[in-house]
Amino acid sequence: MKFAMELSATFGPSGNEEPVSALLRDELEPHGVEFKQSSLGSLIGIKPGKIKGPGIILSAHMDEVGFLISKINKDGTLSFRTVGGIDSRLLPSKAVQIGENRLRGVIMSPPVHLKRGKDVLKVKDLRIFIGCEDKQSAAKLVSLGDYATFYTVPEKTDNGWIRGKAWDDRIGCFIISEILKKDWDIDITGVFTVQEEVGLRGIQSALHMIKGDFAFAVEGTTSHSSPDEGLDNSPSTICGNGPAITAMDRMSIGNSGLKKLLEEVARMNSIPFQYKMTATGGTETFYLLRHRTGIPSICVSVPVRYIHAPVGMILIKDVENTLKLLEEGISLLQLKLKKLYGGK
Amino acid sequence: MALDIKLLEKLTSAFGPSGREVAVADLVSQELKTMKLKTKRDVHGSTRVTLGNSGKKIILAAHLDEIGLISTYIDKDGFIKASPVGFVYKEGLFGNRVQFENGTWGVISSEKTHPKPEIEMHKFFIDIGAKDRKEAEKLLPIGTFGVFARDLVKAANGRVISKALDDRIGVYVLLKVIKELASVDLKDTVNFVFTVQEEFSGLGAATSAFGIAPHIAIAVDVTDSDDTRENKYLNMRLDSGPAIKIMDASLISHPKLKEHFISIAKKNKIPYQLEVLPYGGTDAGTMSLVKKGIPSIGISIPTRYIHTPSEMISSTDVENTIKLLVAAVKGKIGGAL
């Protein structure tokens, strides 16, 4: 899990994914992965198999939700905009890192005696404090348009969880990396995309550079934050119940053949799994499904508590089971594709 | 040519929400097999047959799928929560029966509180008869697709009421057009495509059009017939013939195709009407955007109560739609541009 934690700690809001891309390259290069990059910055890592053919596509996005500095105020504080969906209720008094130097700051929060009875502050009314008391000194450290993210040091708990930011979707990047490190009979193409959180942008251009017979989008997804008993509404997923298979979300219907294959593989290998219990949100599956004449595709996710937040929590066993489910699924598809390609 | 109720009933009663269209696709393949025609199926399940192999490449599309539901959550008492697959009128959900892909049945209801709760999707549940969550999980795993089941019945004046006339009536029309044209020497290469997921994402139309890369694409689908007592907002009426689509929210039909279909209708004395729909969309809109762009048009069968379990069409409109399409294909659509 060391590499997963490194990925989590890395700075990479939408449009500024280069640090994540560089980390993935360094990690995967010694394992015989061949790289291409799309002009928007998506990283494509192909692990060549013994038998040539389009093979299997695995997609995860490198970007995380974050902030853009929109104004340096007279009092030295910074106004900002969010990049991707962030609930403004989560923001006051959270640590952030800004720009290339990863300058640390804190999103300001009025003290409790002044706050009492006030509504939730909107993003446009929030400021980041970097210790500067006037515009001039702040402007030396920060420029307009600088990116920022939450500043969170990932760490393991004693009971099987990891805390950290950006599990959506660094955990997908981690799982795909682990798969690319292994040797396969067919080509495995990992697509590490940019700008997913601002409208599924990176995948659209990256797809023009790759081929695949089947595809999996590997995601971190919403999970409920307390035990589900007694709930009348859906918790989406439950941490500890294993990888979540998405039958349908707002934009795509998971390929029914791949859904069956994953169910079968899970049962054969006693891998726990769950179905995502909401039909909301959209993933890269949408573009994988409708690329050219169509690629059978489905989304598999790791449940994340407190997604799009300063600290999220995932269970290591969910990550391991997601990896196992995908690896067993790929092994089975590999047999089918070997026949299709007529390889030895 | 009277309406072939037996075939239409087979088509409308088949189970086929977006994403689970296999049963309808199989019916289409079987029907075409009786005409000695072999169908091809793509990775997503869209099914097609091609007639002729000269001139321009044409797509005539109708979609296999219907609107439905997908189960998303089971509460501790064994009641099911669901999300719509495609556009579902929440006002019409109460009391409907749901048939699921695994054979489970249920009824949709909500709590009978006073005053009645506001109509919101999340306030509805499906009762499948299960006593608790454990039993329900066995009967209906999360992510199971369902449809609003309802039989086809005949009404007065050759009108038919059924679920899924959107777009099984389009499928029916294409099957009849194929039958009329199967032994005709065509001047175009006409791909009859039965698409998947029109009600959801237009997936089938997008991938099929990419694969075929036609010169012209035509979608045969239903359109709102706005001729009930109060509604006089739109132009379309039952019994006034096929509607030649001028625009909807997804497409402005290619003007030359529009003129072409109007002239064919006039020449062959087929009644027709013009369709301007300020909302909605069909496979024609999806196909028009594929690759370098494809000149596209919709030919619509006027239908009342679309996207409810009881949609109504008129058989004379169906007959005239078949006539119009047969005349158009025989007359070389490829020459329209």
Side-chain angles (χ1 to χ4, degrees):
Chain A
M1 290 292 143
K2 193 174 146 276
F3 183 54
M5 288 162 76
E6 266 179 72
L7 282 165
S8 162
T10 302
F11 186 88
S14 312
N16 196 158
E17 300 87 349
E18 174 55 29
V20 187
S21 175
L23 181 67
L24 285 164
R25 251 180 209 270
D26 288 349
E27 177 78 9
L28 295 175
E29 218 141 39
H31 296 275
V33 176
E34 294 162 6
F35 293 101
K36 291 193 268 193
Q37 195 171 347
S38 83
S39 49
L40 276 185
S42 296
L43 180 70
I44 295 159
I46 301 172
K47 184 67 178 269
K50 283 173 242 147
I51 304 161
K52 288 294 143 206
I56 292 169
I57 296 173
L58 302 166
S59 89
H61 61 93
M62 296 190 287
D63 60 317
E64 65 187 295
V65 294
F67 314 95
L68 262 179
I69 304 303
S70 59
K71 194 179 172 205
I72 302 172
N73 300 305
K74 275 187 204 144
D75 60 2
T77 62
L78 312 174
S79 293
F80 60 94
R81 298 290 188 90
T82 50
V83 178
I86 303 180
D87 183 345
S88 64
R89 288 176 304 175
L90 303 175
L91 294 179
S93 77
K94 299 304 186 305
V96 295
Q97 49 185 343
I98 307 157
E100 293 212 342
N101 298 322
R102 313 285 186 260
L103 177 77
R104 307 284 151 69
V106 175
I107 299 172
M108 296 165 75
S109 173
V112 68
H113 68 281
L114 296 178
K115 196 159 59 173
R116 206 163 286 149
K118 290 262 170 68
D119 293 336
V120 175
L121 286 172
K122 295 196 178 94
V123 169
K124 69 176 175 61
D125 299 320
L126 290 166
R127 305 280 182 270
I128 295 170
F129 184 55
I130 51 170
C132 293
E133 306 271 10
D134 60 74
K135 189 172 180 171
Q136 228 182 352
S137 54
K140 279 183 197 147
L141 300 171
V142 180
S143 308
L144 286 189
D146 275 359
Y147 276 104
T149 69
F150 291 118
Y151 174 67
T152 309
V153 179
E155 49 186 7
K156 271 190 199 173
T157 70
D158 294 335
N159 47 9
W161 295 81
I162 327 180
R163 281 193 287 266
K165 71 168 176 68
W167 293 127
D168 175 11
D169 186 23
R170 301 291 159 70
I171 199 58
C173 295
F174 170 74
I175 287 168
I176 294 175
S177 300
E178 292 303 296
I179 294 170
L180 290 176
K181 284 177 190 173
K182 293 186 182 148
D183 291 326
W184 301 92
D185 290 344
I186 53 166
D187 284 6
I188 309 286
T189 302
V191 194
F192 303 100
T193 59
V194 295
Q195 301 186 35
E196 192 270 357
E197 294 291 0
V198 288
L200 301 167
R201 293 179 192 164
I203 186 71
Q204 298 180 49
S205 51
L207 269 170
H208 287 279
M209 302 174 67
I210 59 175
K211 282 190 176 137
D213 287 306
F214 297 98
F216 296 95
V218 189
E219 268 283 6
T221 196
T222 47
S223 164
H224 197 63
S225 58
S226 62
D228 122 297
E229 216 36 59
L231 267 185
D232 201 27
N233 277 318
S234 170
S236 183
T237 64
I238 296 169
C239 285
N241 285 8
I245 297 172
T246 307
M248 185 183 106
D249 63 26
R250 185 175 53 79
M251 297 174 75
S252 25
I253 294 171
N255 178 267
S256 57
L258 286 181
K259 180 167 171 271
K260 265 189 216 134
L261 176 119
L262 291 175
E263 290 163 353
E264 198 181 305
V265 155
R267 279 176 198 130
M268 272 173 0
N269 297 282
S270 309
I271 306 166
F273 72 96
Q274 57 189 318
Y275 299 106
K276 194 166 172 188
M277 291 178 278
T278 46
T280 51
T283 67
E284 292 175 340
T285 319
F286 176 82
Y287 288 102
L288 293 163
L289 281 167
R290 68 200 286 134
H291 185 57
R292 297 176 66 91
T293 55
I295 305 172
S297 315
I298 197 163
C299 182
V300 178
S301 312
V302 178
V304 182
R305 278 195 185 189
Y306 328 121
I307 207 163
H308 287 208
V311 196
M313 291 181 77
I314 53 172
L315 268 171
I316 293 170
K317 69 172 182 188
D318 281 338
V319 180
E320 288 169 348
N321 284 323
T322 307
L323 180 59
K324 205 167 154 197
L325 181 68
L326 284 168
E327 285 183 347
E328 295 293 348
I330 292 168
S331 299
L332 202 61
L333 285 173
Q334 190 168 256
L335 292 177
K336 288 186 189 195
L337 289 175
K338 272 159 83 175
K339 273 187 206 148
L340 191 72
Y341 303 154
K344 294 141 258 163
Chain B
M1 186 176 44
L3 198 64
D4 181 351
I5 285 284
K6 243 175 107 183
L7 174 63
L8 184 59
E9 196 167 10
K10 262 202 275 183
L11 288 168
T12 56
S13 61
F15 180 90
S18 311
R20 296 291 184 275
E21 299 92 345
V22 183
V24 194
D26 286 349
L27 264 181
V28 166
S29 295
Q30 274 167 30
E31 196 57 31
L32 290 171
K33 209 175 157 191
T34 64
M35 304 177 210
K36 306 226 169 354
L37 293 170
K38 237 185 125 183
T39 49
K40 277 188 196 162
R41 206 166 287 182
D42 76 5
V43 293
H44 294 316
S46 295
T47 298
R48 74 181 148 112
V49 66
T50 308
L51 298 182
N53 63 6
S54 59
K56 294 262 165 76
K57 280 192 279 183
I58 314 291
I59 283 185
L60 267 170
H63 65 89
L64 296 166
D65 60 315
E66 64 192 291
I67 55 163
L69 288 172
I70 183 169
S71 66
T72 52
Y73 182 62
I74 301 167
D75 74 15
K76 64 180 192 320
D77 301 314
F79 293 97
I80 314 296
K81 296 271 180 177
S83 281
V85 177
F87 182 82
V88 172
Y89 282 107
K90 50 191 191 305
E91 291 81 0
L93 285 174
F94 194 87
N96 265 312
R97 292 174 189 186
V98 186
Q99 175 192 11
F100 286 99
E101 57 182 309
N102 65 352
T104 298
W105 283 80
V107 56
I108 305 180
S109 198
S110 67
E111 303 293 349
K112 283 204 172 48
T113 51
H114 296 282
K116 273 230 178 307
E118 247 179 84
I119 298 172
E120 282 176 66
M121 200 67 206
H122 72 265
K123 289 189 173 152
F124 286 95
F125 54 75
I126 304 169
D127 185 347
I128 56 168
K131 287 183 179 147
D132 53 32
R133 175 182 282 165
K134 221 173 141 188
E135 195 182 2
E137 275 170 348
K138 275 194 202 128
L139 289 165
L140 196 74
I142 303 296
T144 306
F145 286 76
V147 296
F148 306 101
R150 203 68 75 95
D151 290 339
L152 177 145
V153 290
K154 288 197 243 179
N157 293 312
R159 293 173 185 185
V160 173
I161 305 170
S162 173
K163 83 162 171 80
L165 284 168
D166 175 5
D167 186 28
R168 303 292 157 72
I169 195 62
V171 172
Y172 172 93
V173 164
L174 287 198
L175 288 172
K176 292 297 174 191
V177 170
I178 294 167
K179 196 165 188 179
E180 296 245 337
L181 294 173
S183 50
V184 176
D185 199 13
L186 296 178
K187 300 177 193 88
D188 294 306
T189 305
V190 187
N191 299 276
F192 294 87
V193 186
F194 301 90
T195 60
V196 296
Q197 299 191 28
E198 189 272 349
E199 298 293 357
F200 185 70
S201 63
L203 179 65
T207 53
S208 297
F210 189 97
I212 294 167
H215 298 92
I216 292 170
I218 302 158
V220 181
D221 208 330
V222 299
T223 191
D224 269 334
S225 180
D226 196 27
D227 51 357
T228 47
R229 291 181 308 167
E230 305 269 314
N231 293 343
K232 298 287 181 279
Y233 175 53
L234 301 170
N235 177 57
M236 292 78 79
R237 306 280 178 268
L238 286 192
D239 296 319
S240 298
I244 298 169
K245 191 188 287 284
I246 296 176
M247 69 164 265
D248 61 29
S250 76
L251 171 83
I252 294 172
S253 294
H254 195 284
K256 284 190 179 163
L257 289 175
K258 182 197 85 179
E259 292 308 326
H260 186 72
F261 273 96
I262 291 173
S263 74
I264 285 170
K266 282 184 179 159
K267 209 162 76 187
N268 294 277
K269 301 199 169 54
I270 302 164
Y272 72 94
Q273 48 190 329
L274 297 175
E275 174 194 354
V276 178
L277 194 67
Y279 48 84
T282 69
D283 278 342
T286 306
M287 292 189 287
S288 71
L289 295 174
V290 168
K291 286 196 157 176
K292 291 180 286 181
I294 299 166
S296 303
I297 190 168
I299 300 298
S300 311
I301 297 119
T303 305
R304 286 182 184 167
Y305 325 122
I306 289 178
H307 284 208
T308 74
S310 296
E311 302 171 326
M312 180 189 270
I313 49 142
S314 167
S315 44
T316 59
D317 289 333
V318 178
E319 285 160 29
N320 285 320
T321 308
I322 296 167
K323 276 187 203 163
L324 179 66
L325 290 170
V326 168
V329 176
K330 276 186 180 166
K332 195 171 191 315
I333 302 177
L337 296 179

